[in-house]
C-alpha cells in the first residue's frame, strides 16, 4: 500500500524485531492516519534534500516498541515518527544539520540526531513536544543535549 508517492506502508511498518519475535506490527486505524501524515512530512524532507530518504524504523506497535526498548511515550508507537538515513546526502549528522533550520517549513515537530551504540540516525516526528527546547536535540547514548551536536 502506497502512503505517498515515495513511501509505502510496508516500509513504514518494517521491523526485523517484529519478524524475529513473531510480533504483530499492524497499525491501528488511528496510527495509519498518522503514518500518512508522517509520510507526507518525509516527502517534504526528501524534496528538500533532493535525494532518497530511507526509513530505518517507522511504526512500532506497543509490543514491538517494548521489545526494542523504546520509551512507552514513543512517537513511533502512535505512527507519528520515523527514523531515517540518507546516504546519498551524507552522514546522519549532516542530515540533521541540514534539516534543523527548516523544521517549521518542513512540518517537522521534533528532530533528534541519535547516536547510540555506534549507530547514527535522524528521528523525525510530526508531533511537537510541549517544551520548545526539546524540538531540536541530540541523543548520545544516555545523554541528551539541546541542538544538533557532533558526538
Ligand atoms: Zn526514532
Amino acid at each position: 500500500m502506497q502512503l505517498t508517492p515515495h513511501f509505502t506502508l510496508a516500509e513504514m511498518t518494517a521491523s526485523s524485531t517484529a519478524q524475529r519475535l513473531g510480533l504483530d506490527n499492524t497499525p491501528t486505524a488511528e496510527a495509519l492516519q498518522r503514518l500518512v501524515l508522517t509520510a507526507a512530512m518525509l516527502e517534504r524532507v526528501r524534496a528538500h534534500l533532493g535525494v532518497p530518504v530511507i526509513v530505518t524504523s517507522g511504526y512500532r506497535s506497543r509490543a514491538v516498541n517494548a521489545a526494542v526498548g523504546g520509551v512507552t511515550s514513543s512517537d513511533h508507537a502512535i505512527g507519528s515518527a520515523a527514523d531515517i538515513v540518507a546516504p546519498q546526502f551524507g552522514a546522519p549528522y549532516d542530515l540533521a544539520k541540514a534539516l534543523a533550520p527548516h523544521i517549521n517549513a518542513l512540518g517537522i515537530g521534533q528532530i533528534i540526531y541519535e547516536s547510540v551504540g555506534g549507530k547514527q540516525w535522524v528521528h523525525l516526528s510530526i508531533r511537537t513536544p510541549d517544551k520548545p527546547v526539546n524540538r531540536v536535540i541530540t541523543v548520545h547514548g544516555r545523554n541528551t543535549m539541546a541542538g544538533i551536536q557532533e558526538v
Side-chain angles (χ1 to χ4, degrees):
M1 178 187 176
Q2 206 72 35
L3 297 177
T4 61
H6 297 100
F7 297 94
T8 64
L9 180 61
E11 182 176 11
M12 292 293 277
T13 57
S15 167
S16 54
T17 302
Q19 214 163 28
R20 186 163 46 84
L21 301 176
L23 299 171
D24 184 17
N25 201 36
T26 307
T28 60
E30 281 180 332
L32 181 59
Q33 285 183 340
R34 292 195 198 94
L35 282 173
V36 173
L37 298 176
T38 301
M41 176 268 286
L42 294 177
E43 288 286 354
R44 294 191 291 274
V45 167
R46 187 185 195 277
H48 181 78
L49 298 172
V51 297
V53 163
I54 297 163
V55 177
T56 58
S57 182
Y59 177 70
R60 298 178 203 145
S61 66
R62 213 172 288 177
V64 172
N65 195 54
V68 300
V71 290
T72 47
S73 62
S74 172
D75 286 347
H76 288 278
I78 58 170
S80 295
D83 294 339
I84 64 161
V85 293
Q88 289 183 38
F89 184 85
Y93 171 77
D94 303 311
L95 185 57
K97 271 292 200 192
L99 295 175
H102 305 285
I103 52 174
N104 288 329
L106 296 171
I108 298 169
Q110 184 186 40
I111 177 168
I112 308 175
Y113 169 53
E114 300 200 57
S115 181
V116 178
K119 283 188 179 178
Q120 287 86 29
W121 65 91
V122 176
H123 168 106
L124 298 176
S125 175
I126 54 172
R127 193 184 63 82
T128 303
D130 297 335
K131 292 182 184 170
V133 70
N134 289 329
R135 265 193 99 181
V136 181
I137 59 175
T138 296
V139 169
H140 180 216
R142 293 180 173 202
N143 300 320
T144 301
M145 290 156 273
I148 305 300
Q149 310 292 341
E150 198 160 17
V151 290

